[in-house]
Amino acid sequence: AQSVTQLGSHVSVSEGALVLLRCNYSSSVPPYLFWYVQYPNQGLQLLLKYTSAATLVKGINGFEAEFKKSETSFHLTKPSAHMSDAAEYFCAVSDGDAGNMLTFGGGTRLMVKP
Amino acid sequence: DGGITQSPKYLFRKEGQNVTLSCEQNLNHDAMYWYRQDPGQGLRLIYYSQIVNDFQKGDIAEGYSVSREKKESFPLTVTSAQKNPTAFYLCASSIAVRGRTEAFFGQGTRLTVV
């Protein structure tokens, strides 16, 4: 079985500052990892995914994440925050043995201050 | 455009009533899922289906029921046995391969018990 831990349920940054959202996972098999974004009262939208190709993954809206096996981490970063980045972000891991089922972290709400 | 349609967006239910949430997809995906989202608790899996006429319980299936009579449709019924049904419900679908592909989400249905 796999699990995901997102450190920090709320993160606040100033506009233009670096965004760093943390995700650590545990999995008994090589993981597939995903970051999703959710705006208020909407569904989840995929930002990026890691599927065992390049360890540095680039996504939409300027976000990227790096898979670090030794640290069991998949942190999400963006060099410069924009007001429109304010949303909730979810990290998820997939258990390949059980089919395409995602286990989600508890989410991190990103707030961007002007 | 291909995607997942959930309806209604808002739903109010009196205590003791069953209600059915609709989920339709035109992505030709084999797998479909229902998640429940509560503040601060991330997403929890209610039911999933990997193929027509087959479905499995997720982590919190008690008080819910589903059917999968067509590939495109995966309705969720919230029964009167669900003690705390007020939540945001998300439907998702994916290609039924092992772990590599992402899930696509609908816009959600917010259910409120009045």
Side-chain angles (χ1 to χ4, degrees):
Chain A
Q2 74 278 8
S3 65
V4 178
T5 302
Q6 292 184 240
L7 292 177
S9 59
H10 292 80
V11 170
S12 180
V13 300
S14 298
E15 192 172 20
L18 172 71
V19 175
L20 171 60
L21 304 182
R22 300 179 185 273
C23 173
N24 288 89
Y25 70 91
S26 66
S27 177
S28 58
V29 299
Y32 302 119
L33 295 156
F34 308 82
W35 273 102
Y36 287 85
V37 61
Q38 183 183 33
Y39 298 101
N41 292 313
Q42 294 189 24
L44 278 67
Q45 178 185 2
L46 182 72
L47 275 177
L48 49 82
K49 62 180 179 181
Y50 167 76
T51 58
S52 75
T55 57
L56 181 62
V57 181
K58 294 187 183 298
I60 62 172
N61 300 339
F63 285 93
E64 63 182 35
E66 186 172 8
F67 173 68
K68 293 186 176 181
K69 184 178 179 180
S70 61
E71 299 178 7
T72 61
S73 69
F74 191 56
H75 302 331
L76 182 71
T77 60
K78 182 175 181 178
S80 176
H82 191 271
M83 295 297 290
S84 61
D85 294 327
E88 188 148 22
Y89 292 81
F90 292 93
C91 183
V93 62
S94 175
D95 178 355
D97 291 336
N100 193 28
M101 285 170 45
L102 296 178
T103 298
F104 287 87
T108 297
R109 183 166 298 279
L110 175 66
M111 295 166 284
V112 182
K113 299 176 292 185
Chain B
D1 282 340
I4 300 178
T5 301
Q6 290 186 241
S7 62
K9 187 169 179 63
Y10 298 96
L11 185 58
F12 297 89
R13 190 195 93 172
K14 293 182 179 179
E15 287 192 24
Q17 285 183 336
N18 293 354
V19 290
T20 297
L21 283 59
S22 171
C23 178
E24 303 277 335
Q25 55 101 356
N26 61 4
L27 298 168
N28 200 33
H29 286 169
D30 283 318
M32 297 188 74
Y33 314 83
W34 275 105
Y35 292 91
R36 171 177 171 144
Q37 187 176 22
D38 296 283
Q41 296 194 42
L43 277 70
R44 293 182 290 170
L45 182 65
I46 304 173
Y47 269 98
Y48 68 100
S49 168
Q50 296 282 3
I51 197 168
V52 174
N53 292 323
D54 185 53
F55 49 83
Q56 286 79 40
K57 294 181 178 179
D59 300 320
I60 56 164
E62 184 176 354
Y64 300 97
S65 66
V66 294
S67 62
R68 186 84 186 277
E69 297 176 0
K70 298 187 301 182
K71 186 176 185 178
E72 299 79 17
S73 178
F74 192 42
L76 173 73
T77 296
V78 184
T79 75
S80 57
Q82 170 51 236
K83 299 305 180 187
N84 185 23
T86 294
F88 191 53
Y89 292 88
L90 287 162
C91 179
S93 72
S94 67
I95 299 170
V97 297
R98 293 170 66 116
R100 182 176 296 269
T101 63
E102 68 270 25
F104 293 79
F105 284 82
Q107 291 300 295
T109 293
R110 185 166 297 281
L111 173 62
T112 304
V113 173
V114 296

